[in-house]
């Protein structure tokens, strides 16, 4: 038969085991909580970067900022993220010379002027269009700081504005993950995180509205880019 000491020691051992498991679970939950917030922070940073870059390029393409001129293409190269992939992630890089328009001279914008590139603002640089141009093609562009070239016209501005719209759902998701810790593997479910959102009475419709406007705006701008 077990002694009284053994009988008293068994519940104590079980209690220590339960406290140990609770501590481990608490640490795991804390780690998931921190990881979820890290996911939210990353989404916020990416959303801001995408929005700012797209807004700058949209302003350039629309002629609101930068210097107007013509980019004379020397050669273009296509690059793909994986060997044999011809469907997604294509990057086009063109080299050539930029010729600024002189006092709003439309002939220079349409390709007139010297082909030497002298007297230009950062005359030589890399241009990333959405199509491959043959050598000698003169493309109306806007250039910003640091030799950034963007094809001029509202068609290209609409595409960049779609990028601004895409940033809105990213920002909404980032705020949600940052406030709830959602996003970590084996963390809280979306339903639990959504129900536990701080200030959810105000934030839930606000986040849904921001994400919805972003999705709708991206669809409208892409439609205008292709059919406008």
């Amino acid at each position: 038969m077990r002694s009284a000491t053994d009988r008293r020691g068994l519940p104590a051992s079980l209690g220590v085991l339960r406290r140990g498991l609770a501590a481990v679970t608490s640490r795991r939950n804390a780690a998931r909580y921190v990881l979820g917030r890290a996911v939210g922070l990353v989404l916020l940073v990416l959303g801001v970067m995408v929005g700012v870059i797209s807004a700058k390029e949209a302003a350039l393409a629309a002629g609101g900022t930068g210097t107007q001129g013509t980019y004379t293409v020397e050669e273009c190269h296509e690059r793909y993220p994986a060997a044999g992939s011809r469907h997604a992630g294509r990057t086009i890089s063109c080299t050539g010379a930029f010729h600024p328009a002189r006092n709003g001279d439309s002939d220079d914008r349409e390709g007139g002027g010297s082909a030497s590139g002298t007297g230009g603002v950062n005359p030589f640089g890399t241009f990333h269009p959405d199509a491959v141009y043959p050598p000698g093609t003169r493309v109306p562009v806007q250039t910003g700081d640091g030799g950034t070239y963007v094809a001029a016209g509202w068609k290209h501005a609409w595409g960049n504005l779609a990028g601004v719209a895409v940033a809105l759902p990213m920002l909404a998701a980032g705020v949600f993950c940052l406030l709830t810790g959602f996003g970590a593997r084996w963390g809280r479910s979306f339903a639990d995180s959504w129900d536990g959102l701080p200030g959810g009475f105000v934030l839930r419709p606000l986040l849904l509205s921001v994400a919805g406007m972003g999705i709708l705006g991206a669809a409208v701008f892409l439609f205008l880019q292709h059919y406008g």
Side-chain angles (χ1 to χ4, degrees), residues 1-11:
M1 296 179 63
R2 292 184 178 179
S3 65
T5 302
D6 293 337
R7 287 194 296 272
R8 288 194 299 269
L10 183 59

Side-chain angles (χ1 to χ4, degrees), residues 119-201:
V121 178
N122 192 14
F124 292 93
T126 303
F127 175 40
H128 297 285
D130 56 3
V132 175
Y133 293 102
T137 303
R138 297 182 176 185
V139 186
V141 297
Q142 294 279 133
T143 182
D145 297 333
T148 300
Y149 301 100
V150 175
W154 277 102
K155 175 182 178 181
H156 303 284
W158 294 133
N160 290 313
L161 286 173
V164 177
V166 168
L168 294 180
M170 296 175 64
L171 293 173
V175 170
F176 173 68
C177 293
L178 193 63
L179 292 177
T180 63
F182 175 78
R185 187 178 182 184
W186 307 116
R188 296 173 66 187
S189 66
F190 175 82
D192 290 341
S193 299
W194 186 252
D195 292 337
L197 180 67
F201 182 76

